[in-house]
Amino acid sequence: MTKLRFGLGFVAATLVLAAGTRAEECGSGVMLRLSAPETAQGTLLLAEVRSEKPLASITGKWGERGVPFWKEDAMAKAGSGEDVRRALLGVDLEKPAGKYPFTAEMELAGGGRASCTANVAVEEGHFATENLTVKKQFVEPNPEQEARAKAEQQRLREIYDTVTPGRLWDGPFRMPLVGDFKGSNFGKRRVLNGHPGSPHGGTDFPAPTGTPVHAAQRGRVVLAEELFFSGNTVVIDHGLGIYTFYCHFSEIDAKAGDMVDAGTIIGKVGATGRVTGPHLHWALEVEKARVSALDIVKLLGAGPKPVAVGR
Ligand SMILES: [Zn+2]
């Protein structure tokens, strides 16, 4: 373990990790970099390990959870034997503020080990509170509706508990709508018809009913059906514990089990479930942390960065 150093002045090999990063030496020619030295509730961090020599194995630990790394051969210097691995660290939108260790442990292919720990400061998200009026059944569901909603929440928890080994995505993550749609409301604490609700785990994009919704990246559709609160819903498993969730569709254009590509139309914007008007609710779950979906486009996207308003 080495002392933390803030990464001013090191030359980052990628744009994403160029600003605000910090680097740490893990020994044996291995460096760990994080996309930001500190962060806030509901965000994603990108961790990158660069080893001068090939690695036999790598494991990450973020708090109590294991973090899977993936290999980025295209980012290694060609012919150098360099080995580049990346991982996403999700900071749940209700994770208490504080300092949390992220530890990476590596075994080198030719023998030898390296390890390092970065202590990541997590700040309060400063989410606004808003009052909304929705249909009475969504705030005071009858026993049958309540049982249905509970069973659906349990199913979603089981989906998110499943970490598919290996990545299914291939390339940059993209926005789910084409055009000038702005997302907002992520993390907002909500008061529904006067009752405090759970925090808003997605980003809302108001858009006309019928607007096509595109898969953010390649993956397997693991749920495509109508749910009580979210209405017509699609969930895509991208592998390594990364899931995108899209809902309130007027129409679902995918079915469970389908493999979809980045950009595949999976449904149309609508106003089904608990809504105040037509919009896309887009959410991201990374190893069971509820984080802003826009962050994965910022960290693993290409081209123009997403616009968030009212965060
Ligand atoms: Zn929403």
Side-chain angles (χ1 to χ4, degrees):
M1 228 176 277
T2 55
K3 203 168 164 284
L4 278 186
R5 288 182 309 148
F6 288 86
L8 292 173
F10 79 85
V11 181
T14 68
L15 274 177
V16 160
L17 292 177
T21 52
R22 77 178 178 202
E24 193 179 349
E25 275 186 46
C26 312
S28 304
V30 181
M31 294 288 285
L32 165 68
R33 293 187 175 96
L34 294 180
S35 54
E38 70 240 329
T39 193
Q41 293 171 319
T43 60
L44 265 187
L45 286 172
L46 181 60
E48 185 176 280
V49 164
R50 279 181 180 263
S51 173
E52 289 166 11
K53 296 183 186 134
L55 296 173
S57 71
I58 180 166
T59 55
K61 207 162 176 227
W62 173 225
E64 292 309 302
R65 294 188 66 83
V67 171
F69 276 85
W70 69 89
K71 214 167 178 320
E72 286 282 14
D73 287 336
M75 289 180 184
K77 276 177 242 132
S80 66
E82 190 185 34
D83 194 333
V84 179
R85 311 285 178 114
R86 287 179 149 193
L88 287 173
L89 314 184
V91 181
D92 187 78
L93 84 172
E94 291 187 288
K95 192 178 181 81
K99 281 214 163 181
Y100 296 90
F102 171 65
T103 301
E105 294 194 343
M106 287 68 65
E107 262 178 357
L108 281 82
R113 306 179 72 89
S115 95
C116 44
T117 296
N119 285 302
V120 180
V122 173
E123 296 164 1
E124 298 278 345
H126 300 295
F127 302 112
T129 298
E130 71 177 344
N131 289 285
L132 291 176
T133 304
V134 295
K135 277 192 199 149
K136 191 166 174 254
Q137 62 172 8
F138 294 121
V139 180
E140 297 164 70
N142 66 33
E144 195 185 316
Q145 289 165 332
E146 198 171 343
R148 179 187 167 192
K150 266 200 180 141
E152 290 171 353
Q153 271 155 19
Q154 180 58 28
R155 261 183 76 200
L156 286 170
R157 266 197 294 273
E158 283 165 14
I159 286 174
Y160 296 145
D161 266 346
T162 309
V163 177
T164 301
R167 60 177 188 163
L168 302 177
W169 85 88
D170 180 19
F173 277 74
R174 51 160 287 164
M175 300 292 282
L177 299 178
V178 174
D180 190 22
F181 296 105
K182 292 188 172 52
S184 66
N185 293 341
F186 175 76
K188 269 194 180 160
R189 276 41 179 170
R190 293 188 141 178
V191 180
L192 301 165
N193 304 0
H195 301 260
S198 46
H200 185 247
T203 300
D204 290 333
F205 297 82
T209 294
T211 305
V213 178
H214 304 262
Q217 241 302 334
R218 194 167 181 275
R220 182 173 290 109
V221 175
V222 287
L223 183 144
E225 64 187 72
E226 194 232 338
L227 304 181
F228 181 67
F229 283 118
S230 53
N232 290 326
T233 303
V234 171
V235 181
I236 300 176
D237 176 6
H238 301 287
L240 300 184
I242 299 170
Y243 291 88
T244 48
F245 173 103
Y246 315 72
C247 72
H248 305 313
F249 288 174
S250 54
E251 208 179 286
I252 296 177
D253 297 321
K255 53 182 195 313
D258 285 355
M259 279 302 294
V260 291
D261 284 314
T264 300
I265 294 176
I266 53 171
K268 314 252 183 345
V269 171
T272 54
R274 188 177 68 190
V275 295
T276 55
H279 70 281
L280 168 68
H281 171 108
W282 184 36
L284 171 67
E285 192 100 10
V286 173
E287 295 130 29
K288 293 185 77 183
R290 296 161 296 167
V291 298
S292 166
L294 301 180
D295 279 15
I296 203 162
V297 182
K298 283 184 212 155
L299 289 173
L300 299 182
K305 297 307 172 205
V307 181
V309 291
R311 169 96 178 251

